[in-house]
Amino acid sequence: MFLETDIIGLRQLEEDDLPQMRDWRNSPIIRGRTREYLPLNMINQKKWFASLDSKNIMFAIIEKKTGKFIGVTGLVHIDYQNRIAEYSHYIGNPETRGKGYSRHVAYLVFEYAFGKLGLHKVWGEIYTHAPDILNIDKKLGFKHDATIRDTNFSDGKYWGSHIISILDTEWEKLRENYIKERK
C-alpha cells in the first residue's frame, strides 16, 4: 500500500482496475453525483487512465480486512503554484458504503496533500441534489465556500453546486483529533 490506516489502504490504480471502475462510474448512483453524464466504455476509461499525471493523482481504495478494491480517490487539477487541488472520491462497492470509510480515505488524502505535496487548499464540488454527500464532507472538515446556481442538468432539471474546501491550517487540528481517536 502507498498509504494506509488500520481500516483502509490506498494504492496506485492499475489497468486491471479499469473494468470495475467503468462499471461503478456507469451506475446511476455514482454517475449522478459526478460530472459524468454519458455511459463510459473501456476506450473512455483507458484514455482517462492514460491522462493521469502529476496534476491528477488517483488511488484505489482497498478495504484492509478483505483486501477488496472498493473505490477510488485522489487529487485532480493540482495547481502547484497556488498549492490548490480538487478532491475526488467515491466508494463504488455498494456493500462497503455507509461504513465510515470516507473519513479514513480523507485522512490519507489530506495527509498526502498537505503533508507530502505541501498544498494549502483542497476543494470539492457537491451537487445540490446530493445533500447526504455534503453532510459527509462537512464531517470530514470541509467548509462551505459557496453555492453556485444551475451548474448540473440531471433528471430533466438544473441543480446547483456547493463548493467546499479545507485549508492546511484547518487540517492540522482535524489531523490531531483523528490521531487521538484512533489510539
Side-chain angles (χ1 to χ4, degrees), residues 5 14 19 27 45 56 72 90 92 99 113 143 154 171 183:
T5 68
E14 301 292 341
S27 75
Q45 202 62 49
N56 297 285
V72 179
Y90 63 85
K99 293 190 174 185
K143 305 287 188 220
S154 179
W171 168 239
K183 290 182 180 184

Side-chain angles (χ1 to χ4, degrees), residues 112-138:
Y112 184 68
F114 299 124
K116 300 289 187 217
L117 298 181
L119 298 182
H120 169 66
K121 180 179 180 176
V122 173
W123 70 278
E125 177 182 18
I126 310 297
Y127 295 133
T128 56
H129 63 75
D132 56 323
I133 300 297
L134 181 63
N135 290 335
I136 290 168
D137 285 347
K138 283 182 176 179

Side-chain angles (χ1 to χ4, degrees), residues 2-181:
F2 179 69
L3 302 165
E4 61 186 314
T5 68
D6 57 324
I7 306 293
I8 58 105
L10 304 183
R11 65 161 170 77
Q12 291 295 98
L13 284 171
E14 301 292 341
E15 195 162 347
D16 291 347
D17 298 325
L18 298 181
Q20 181 63 71
M21 288 179 61
R22 177 206 53 214
D23 294 347
W24 286 336
R25 292 175 71 196
N26 280 332
S27 75
I29 291 173
I30 301 294
R31 190 172 51 228
R33 294 169 182 230
T34 68
R35 293 182 185 121
E36 294 296 338
Y37 60 92
L38 296 174
L40 296 170
N41 59 30
M42 281 308 296
I43 294 168
N44 305 122
Q45 202 62 49
K46 286 180 179 181
K47 283 182 184 178
W48 172 84
F49 183 71
S51 75
L52 296 179
D53 59 12
S54 64
K55 293 184 177 185
N56 297 285
I57 303 169
M58 298 298 290
F59 301 105
I61 303 169
I62 307 299
E63 183 180 44
K64 293 276 292 273
K65 70 180 176 184
T66 64
K68 287 184 179 179
F69 172 41
I70 63 166
V72 179
T73 190
L75 300 164
V76 295
H77 312 298
I78 302 172
D79 177 344
Y80 289 100
Q81 179 176 340
N82 293 306
R83 299 173 40 217
I84 297 171
E86 182 179 359
Y87 178 61
S88 175
H89 123 260
Y90 63 85
I91 302 294
N93 183 332
E95 298 167 11
T96 55
R97 289 187 199 132
K99 293 190 174 185
Y101 291 160
S102 292
R103 185 163 182 257
H104 302 285
V105 171
Y107 170 80
L108 292 174
V109 173
F110 294 163
E111 276 289 281
Y112 184 68
F114 299 124
K116 300 289 187 217
L117 298 181
L119 298 182
H120 169 66
K121 180 179 180 176
V122 173
W123 70 278
E125 177 182 18
I126 310 297
Y127 295 133
T128 56
H129 63 75
D132 56 323
I133 300 297
L134 181 63
N135 290 335
I136 290 168
D137 285 347
K138 283 182 176 179
K139 288 179 185 176
L140 299 177
F142 282 99
K143 305 287 188 220
H144 185 263
D145 290 343
T147 300
I148 304 170
R149 299 179 298 157
D150 293 355
T151 58
N152 175 262
F153 189 77
S154 179
D155 295 328
K157 68 185 217 176
Y158 281 98
W159 301 89
S161 293
H162 298 292
I163 304 302
I164 58 175
S165 69
I166 184 169
L167 304 177
D168 54 354
T169 52
E170 295 164 338
W171 168 239
E172 285 305 314
K173 182 177 180 186
L174 292 168
R175 179 184 186 276
E176 289 173 20
N177 291 340
Y178 178 88
I179 292 169
K180 283 179 191 173
E181 289 172 12

